[in-house]
Amino acid sequence: MATRTRRSQRRTEALTRERIVEAAVELLDTAGEGGLTFRALTERLATGPGAIYWHVANKEELLDAATGAVVAAALAAEPAERTAESAEPAKSAEPAEPAKSAERAEPARSAEPTESTESARPAESPDSPQDKIRAIAFGLFDAIEEHPWLPTQLALQLSRSPWGSVTPQIFESIGRQVRALGVPEGHWFTAASALVHYILGATGQNAANNASARTLAPDVDRAEFLDAASKAWEELDPDDYPFIRAVAAQMREHDDREQFLAGIDLVLTGITALHLPSEQDRTPPLAT
């Protein structure tokens, strides 16, 4: 009886595009792209397919809308909010979910920079363009971790319809900060593209790692997985793989979020070194 009552209440709610997209995101999170069907959507919303088709024409439009909604929310976080979130302990995986055990079952991995990362950074004013870029990057990093279906949809959006809603949102948010850095206009697209490609590539790889972890046994955690991989690297032929053997221990001990932030800082350092005048260039010559 309680179920019928809840369904009756849901039917009385006005069906909007926003409600449909929200339900689609929930289905994608729990069942993946294959689980997003109009039949499943009608059951979740307690409505008929005709009411849904009034708002969205087909599954492709629904996927685009779901991707756009998640990306918009990820880009909306202010730098201070994103810094606070990334400094909080990461949510530990529940024992019953092997999908998360290899990547996220260990204690929280802080997104705060390490001393070496911090010392390598130039002095920046609060709320600087660099901090805003980091906030955008972490927003997308977290969104892709929370929504495993997102990397595939982002890749499709960027390659299939760069004129759609998602690609302009991402490029605009990054591009405004590139402009605020003082990069010359002729280099805006290249600099913004470098940041966008790094952010989406690194977050997509992290998502792929998480997906691979789903195939591991439930009792294998991230530390054990990295330890096994590191030992395999250390056993490679030293003549053929001297570098891999040298960094094997670093791979074992690395933190995904810190490594991601370090990559952002490397790209930002390259952009400022290549496209911004140095202090020496800005200093006027002494009068003779």
Side-chain angles (χ1 to χ4, degrees):
M1 181 64 67
T3 301
R4 291 183 179 178
T5 302
R6 285 195 297 270
R7 288 182 177 178
S8 298
Q9 290 172 346
R10 293 179 77 175
R11 286 194 187 97
T12 62
E13 297 176 10
L15 185 65
T16 63
R17 182 181 175 90
E18 289 72 21
R19 279 190 63 212
I20 293 170
V21 171
E22 181 181 354
V25 171
E26 292 171 357
L27 280 171
L28 286 164
D29 288 346
T30 56
E33 185 179 339
L36 179 61
T37 65
F38 274 73
R39 179 176 180 178
L41 203 55
T42 57
E43 291 178 357
R44 181 173 287 265
L45 292 169
T47 188
I52 295 177
Y53 281 116
W54 178 263
H55 295 278
V56 289
N58 49 48
K59 183 175 178 177
E60 181 178 330
E61 181 181 339
L62 189 57
L63 282 167
D64 290 350
T67 304
V70 171
V71 168
L75 298 177
E78 294 295 328
E81 295 175 3
R82 181 55 57 191
T83 301
E85 288 176 11
S86 57
E88 292 177 355
K91 295 180 181 179
S92 59
E94 297 179 1
E97 296 185 18
K100 299 179 181 178
S101 60
E103 280 289 328
R104 304 175 67 183
E106 64 173 8
R109 285 174 280 154
S110 170
E112 293 180 345
T114 60
E115 292 183 5
S116 59
T117 305
E118 187 68 30
S119 61
R121 253 188 226 159
E124 298 166 5
S125 61
D127 202 28
S128 65
Q130 291 93 329
D131 276 344
K132 291 181 179 179
I133 287 171
R134 294 185 191 106
I136 293 165
F138 271 127
L140 291 169
F141 184 98
D142 290 339
I144 287 174
E145 278 203 330
E146 294 165 11
H147 307 285
W149 51 272
L150 190 57
T152 299
Q153 293 305 313
L154 284 174
L156 287 173
Q157 289 277 348
L158 266 68
S159 61
R160 182 184 63 196
S161 55
W163 50 82
S165 63
V166 174
T167 302
Q169 282 186 75
I170 296 173
F171 265 89
E172 182 67 23
S173 61
I174 293 290
R176 289 187 184 189
Q177 305 313 317
V178 167
R179 183 174 61 184
L181 281 171
V183 174
E185 185 173 355
H187 299 286
W188 285 356
F189 180 71
T190 299
S193 294
L195 283 161
V196 170
H197 292 157
Y198 170 76
I199 291 168
L200 297 185
T203 53
Q205 182 60 54
N206 187 67
N209 293 342
N210 290 338
S212 296
R214 295 184 179 93
T215 64
L216 299 176
D219 58 343
V220 177
D221 65 15
R222 178 180 183 275
E224 291 173 334
F225 177 78
L226 291 179
D227 183 62
S230 177
K231 288 178 179 177
W233 280 16
E234 290 170 343
E235 293 171 0
L236 292 171
D237 188 300
D239 294 327
D240 293 336
Y241 300 98
F243 175 81
I244 292 294
R245 285 169 55 91
V247 300
Q250 296 176 33
M251 188 269 284
R252 177 192 291 118
E253 299 164 1
H254 86 278
D255 179 287
D256 292 336
R257 295 175 69 84
E258 287 181 0
Q259 186 182 60
F260 177 67
L261 178 58
I264 293 292
D265 288 340
L266 283 172
V267 177
L268 286 172
T269 299
I271 288 173
T272 54
L274 286 172
H275 301 304
L276 301 185
S278 65
E279 290 294 335
Q280 182 177 359
D281 294 337
R282 286 195 291 263
T283 303
L286 296 175
T288 57

